[in-house]
Amino acid sequence: MTLHVVVGAASDVGRVRDHNEDAFLVDDQLGLFAVADGMGGHQAGEVASATALEALRAAITSGEGIRDAVTSANDAVYEKSTTDDRLRGMGTTLTAGTLAAGDTLLLGHVGDSRAYVLRDHQLERLTTDHSLVEELIQAGELTEAQAEHDPRRSMITRALGIEPSVEVDLYPIQVHDGDRLLLCSDGLTGMVGEDEIEAVLTREHDPDQAARNLIEDANTAGGIDNITVLIVDLVDAESQTAAVPIVTDDQPTPAEASAEEPEAAPEEPPAARPRRTRTGRGRLRRVLLWALPVIVVLGVAFGVVDYYAHHTYFVGSDGGRVTVFQGRPGGLLFWNPTVKNRTSLRTSTLEASDASQVRVGHGQFGSLGGANSYVAELRARAAQKQRHALGNGTVTPTTAPAPAAPAAP
Ligand code: MN
């Protein structure tokens, strides 16, 4: 299946800022789409987002994969910011998609711009923000609802051009005929709720008009930031061709055709052609209907496994010490847990119930901070146990209380 794209995009300064530091890129030939939200003093934010997109396009053109291309964009922004004093400290978000192998979208992502897909009228967020507020949500310290009004909402924890290297999130997404992708800067998502975005994308068929409507909604809500909206409609080339004779207003539906002109088809060759395409299209639909749930389930399962393997932490034991691992106890499929922070706390000094939990691996923390604070609780209970034991004079500690371990960066 070859998917064609129909793109609509718009960017707006908003109602408060005096210049637009957002930028977007659409390259149909390369199948490349990207949104960048620059930051920095004076005009530096604009330079950062433009530099990133330019470098991204050059890297994809020269055959780099999306992850390497985003890394190249980081290099380009960092290079400029460290060689020009006026640009020092500039940075940018980058959310970029390439349509590879017909029906796989590869998303490379750094920062708090977002990618969504509208599928069957349902909006689904594809990317995780690299923002302080998102980390607090993951750690269970903030609810989604609280986050909407949190003053720290625009603080990002990862951006391009700030450091010589950057960690790029990569999302492979199976896409389908009829999918509508949305790439946008936080100037949209900070102002317009996901329900409203879903409604606009469902209601307005034309991608350009949908992009303009979303920008208008963001401005109506205050427009406190630059707003960029890029919409990519994925259309199966085959069904698009077949659809041409069917979608015209005066074409009867198959049911009407057989009711109103039952003898027309066999005698008249011109009538035969649309009839064949209808059948072909019907079969395509049935195949898609059968295959879609399987593909969606596999895609979601892959996403979930990948998420739990890479975005969760647990506290276990390594070499007799309480240790924070990234991943899931025992690993998931071919993702094994990795050691993030081996603390000085001995598993043998823990309270019995804590020790047994740690031995099998405890918790499913959304952030390293969450896991570390659980370790702090363990440490506190272990110390209390030891004090208690000393007080009763029943146990003589064989080791001095361990000093606090430095938290992993
Ligand atoms: Mn912004």
Side-chain angles (χ1 to χ4, degrees):
M1 181 167 73
T2 310
L3 290 170
H4 282 203
V5 297
V6 185
V7 182
S11 188
D12 190 79
V13 67
R15 292 242 165 115
V16 174
R17 304 283 175 91
D18 53 17
H19 52 275
N20 191 349
E21 299 181 321
D22 283 1
F24 66 86
L25 166 66
V26 174
D27 191 319
D28 293 24
Q29 293 292 309
L30 291 171
L32 173 66
F33 319 97
V35 165
D37 178 349
M39 63 213 77
H42 308 290
Q43 319 284 288
E46 279 159 88
V47 176
S49 56
T51 303
L53 293 181
E54 201 179 298
L56 175 81
R57 191 206 290 253
I60 296 285
T61 304
S62 71
E64 281 180 23
I66 188 76
R67 191 197 292 270
D68 288 346
V70 175
T71 303
S72 297
N74 181 70
D75 296 348
V77 179
Y78 184 73
E79 228 269 322
K80 261 192 195 175
S81 90
T82 47
T83 49
D84 186 335
D85 271 351
R86 289 163 303 173
L87 302 176
R88 182 150 304 180
M90 72 175 177
T92 183
T93 73
L94 183 61
T95 301
T98 50
L99 209 50
D103 58 357
T104 303
L105 174 80
L106 282 173
L107 278 177
H109 168 69
V110 175
D112 69 348
S113 298
R114 290 179 182 176
Y116 290 88
V117 63
L118 182 81
R119 185 176 288 164
D120 299 328
H121 311 302
Q122 303 262 316
L123 189 70
E124 184 196 341
R125 198 199 300 181
L126 300 173
T127 49
T128 302
D129 295 349
H130 301 134
S131 68
L132 180 66
V133 156
E134 182 66 35
E135 285 188 2
L136 292 172
I137 292 172
Q138 301 273 327
E141 289 165 36
L142 210 63
T143 66
E144 296 266 2
Q146 288 168 330
E148 275 180 34
H149 306 288
D150 195 288
R152 297 164 294 181
R153 239 177 359 170
S154 61
M155 292 176 69
I156 61 175
T157 51
R158 224 193 275 176
L160 288 195
I162 307 296
E163 310 226 21
S165 69
V166 71
E167 192 185 339
V168 181
D169 286 356
L170 188 70
Y171 302 86
I173 314 282
Q174 286 297 310
V175 288
H176 313 288
D177 182 19
D179 280 356
R180 171 168 267 192
L181 301 168
L182 166 68
L183 304 188
C184 60
S185 64
D186 68 329
L188 175 70
T189 50
M191 293 279 106
V192 183
E194 291 182 344
D195 286 353
E196 174 63 14
I197 294 174
E198 181 181 88
V200 172
L201 291 178
T202 303
R203 197 163 52 218
E204 179 51 60
H205 184 73
D206 179 66
D208 258 319
Q209 187 59 49
R212 284 195 295 269
N213 291 355
L214 286 173
I215 283 176
E216 198 183 309
D217 286 353
N219 276 327
T220 304
I224 61 166
D225 194 3
N226 306 144
I227 311 142
T228 300
V229 177
L230 198 165
I231 295 169
V232 183
D233 283 334
L234 297 163
V235 188
D236 179 21
E238 261 179 69
S239 78
Q240 193 181 28
T241 319
V244 172
I246 296 168
V247 292
T248 47
D249 286 336
D250 54 357
Q251 263 318 311
T253 65
E256 284 165 352
S258 52
E260 287 164 24
E261 28 177 4
E263 67 289 293
E267 282 96 294
E268 292 173 29
R273 197 167 171 272
R275 196 159 293 250
R276 253 204 315 277
T277 44
R278 268 189 211 115
T279 315
R281 196 169 180 237
R283 196 179 56 199
L284 179 72
R285 274 233 182 92
R286 278 197 296 279
V287 170
L288 279 177
L289 281 177
W290 172 84
L292 263 177
V294 176
I295 294 166
V296 169
V297 165
L298 286 177
V300 168
F302 178 84
V304 167
V305 169
D306 184 65
Y307 181 86
Y308 281 118
H310 290 119
H311 296 261
T312 66
Y313 300 85
F314 69 93
V315 176
S317 175
D318 186 51
R321 310 276 186 150
V322 172
T323 303
V324 176
F325 292 88
Q326 187 175 38
R328 296 286 295 143
L332 271 178
L333 300 183
F334 42 88
W335 288 277
N336 285 318
T338 53
V339 172
K340 294 305 277 190
N341 180 19
R342 191 155 162 257
T343 73
S344 59
L345 184 61
R346 290 181 185 280
T347 313
S348 59
T349 63
L350 296 179
E351 277 216 314
S353 62
D354 284 341
S356 60
Q357 284 190 18
V358 164
R359 273 191 199 99
V360 293
H362 173 82
Q364 187 174 304
F365 300 98
S367 71
L368 197 52
N372 283 335
S373 55
Y374 175 69
V375 172
E377 283 172 32
L378 291 178
R379 196 184 289 284
R381 280 199 291 271
Q384 200 171 25
K385 174 193 157 194
Q386 198 167 42
R387 271 197 303 276
H388 188 68
L390 282 170
N392 286 341
T394 49
V395 176
T396 308
T398 51
T399 53

